[in-house]
Amino acid sequence: MDQDTSSSREKSRDELLAQIGDLSRVNQEAVDLFDERLGAFLGTNRTDGRCLGIIEKYKSVSAGQLANESGLTTGAVTAVIDRLEAAGYVRRVRDPLDRRKIWIECTEDLRAIVTEIFGFYDVIGPAMMKSFDATQLAGILAFLRIGTRVNEEMAAALTENTKPGGTPADRVVQARQFRRAIDAGAGRLAEELDQLVRPATPRKTARTK
């Protein structure tokens, strides 16, 4: 009886994992569709949109910081900033204390667009989360943390082990090289993900009298 129960639970878990995999792909397709439609509305390409998101997140960034955050070269970032400035979405602002420094900021028009479009999440967010208890929310947070880290690791491995161009056969060879590299680090990554699922509890500091 216990063995049957254990087998049933394992089957249920496998089914749930399969559903998570399927729905993750569907969710990513929906995200990609939204990003595509937003980019079409703004008249920006995917790279420009990603950089806009970084600038909006930090409110004010240097070209160097934007290059680091986006993974682009300084030359590519300069071209992005030029396009976004010409479109009226960002502006270059000289640092009042150090006139040699230039900061990139969003324009008021871009902030207004962001407020109108993404402000919907302020309305729908509570409805999205109301059915989840604290334990389930912690699970969602863990899933998002590990998903983010895996994608960061895979993006870095693609950058290091592949390059644009070539024939499909060339890409197969590079894909295999990528797989060998990512497999070699799988143990380390698994340990890191385990820590992300159960983040360390902050230590309590002793109170001074």
Side-chain angles (χ1 to χ4, degrees):
M1 186 70 175
D2 290 342
Q3 185 175 357
D4 291 341
T5 302
S6 176
S7 176
S8 176
R9 287 175 179 171
E10 188 62 30
K11 182 180 179 181
S12 176
R13 186 174 188 277
D14 289 342
E15 290 174 346
L16 286 172
L17 288 173
Q19 290 179 37
I20 288 172
D22 292 340
L23 285 175
S24 292
R25 284 187 287 273
V26 173
N27 178 70
Q28 187 58 55
E29 289 169 1
V31 171
D32 289 343
L33 178 61
F34 174 77
D35 288 344
E36 179 185 309
R37 299 291 170 80
L38 181 60
F41 165 62
L42 294 175
T44 58
N45 61 38
R46 199 175 186 89
T47 299
D48 292 356
R50 184 157 51 91
C51 289
L52 259 185
I54 294 169
I55 298 168
E56 198 278 328
K57 179 175 69 172
Y58 289 105
K59 309 306 179 188
S60 181
V61 299
S62 66
Q65 182 184 356
L66 184 59
N68 290 332
E69 291 281 337
S70 64
L72 299 173
T73 64
T74 53
V77 159
T78 298
V80 169
I81 295 170
D82 287 344
R83 289 195 297 270
L84 294 177
E85 187 174 38
Y89 297 138
V90 304
R91 56 175 170 256
R92 289 175 166 93
V93 178
R94 197 171 295 277
D95 191 304
L97 300 180
D98 186 346
R99 304 294 291 175
R100 295 170 299 177
K101 290 183 179 179
I102 301 294
W103 299 100
I104 313 304
E105 298 179 353
C106 293
T107 62
E108 293 303 320
D109 286 340
L110 190 278
R111 291 195 182 98
I113 292 170
V114 169
T115 297
E116 293 301 330
I117 292 179
F118 290 94
F120 178 65
Y121 285 109
D122 294 334
V123 177
I124 202 64
M128 293 169 62
M129 297 290 105
K130 70 178 183 179
S131 298
F132 301 101
D133 61 26
T135 300
Q136 291 170 321
L137 290 174
I140 293 172
L141 284 171
F143 181 77
L144 292 173
R145 282 194 297 265
I146 63 178
T148 299
R149 187 66 195 94
V150 168
N151 282 321
E152 289 173 345
E153 190 79 4
M154 293 184 71
L158 279 171
T159 300
E160 294 171 5
N161 296 280
T162 65
K163 58 183 179 180
T167 66
D170 294 332
R171 293 191 177 94
V172 170
V173 172
Q174 292 184 60
R176 288 171 178 160
Q177 182 177 337
F178 158 81
R179 182 59 186 270
R180 286 193 296 272
I182 205 75
D183 283 350
R188 170 191 54 77
L189 181 59
E191 291 179 1
E192 187 177 338
L193 297 181
D194 189 56
Q195 294 300 315
L196 291 175
V197 173
R198 291 180 285 274
T201 303
R203 294 182 179 179
K204 293 183 178 179
T205 56
R207 294 183 178 179
T208 55
K209 294 182 180 180

